[in-house]
Amino acid sequence: MAKEGFKRKKPIGKMLLFGIISITLYVLLLSNQDLISSNVSRGGLYAILPIAMAFIFSFFHGSFTGSFWTVLGIEARKKKEVK
């Protein structure tokens, strides 16, 4: 139970960590486009690669974005309990 005046610690470290990982993933993706394209186009089990990459990018970028908005102080509105 959080009190009205209670301030939570802002996840700046978490935001920076996921931001660095996200940037690194994008740099690796863009710098190795030929290698990735040649492997993905092979078919078979290699068809799973784009799906796996999408999940990985989604996780790290989403974690960064969530922490970013929290650091800025923007939170989702909590629904009030119906009594």
Side-chain angles (χ1 to χ4, degrees):
M1 294 270 190
K3 293 184 180 180
E4 193 73 26
F6 178 73
K7 285 187 175 181
R8 280 199 289 183
K9 186 177 176 186
K10 293 185 179 185
I12 295 173
K14 182 179 174 184
M15 179 192 71
L16 291 174
L17 175 67
F18 284 118
I20 291 169
I21 292 172
S22 185
I23 289 170
T24 304
L25 287 173
Y26 280 109
V27 168
L28 289 173
L29 176 72
L30 296 174
S31 65
N32 296 309
Q33 287 180 10
D34 296 332
L35 176 66
I36 293 169
S37 295
S38 65
N39 282 327
V40 168
S41 63
R42 292 172 76 178
L45 288 178
Y46 290 98
I48 295 173
L49 288 176
I51 298 167
M53 287 190 299
F55 279 120
I56 291 168
F57 276 83
S58 177
F59 174 76
F60 286 107
H61 186 76
S63 296
F64 163 72
T65 306
S67 298
F68 175 76
W69 290 120
T70 301
V71 167
L72 290 180
I74 300 172
E75 293 285 329
R77 184 178 286 181
K78 307 268 193 253
K79 289 187 176 182
K80 293 183 179 180
E81 257 185 59
V82 178
K83 293 183 181 182

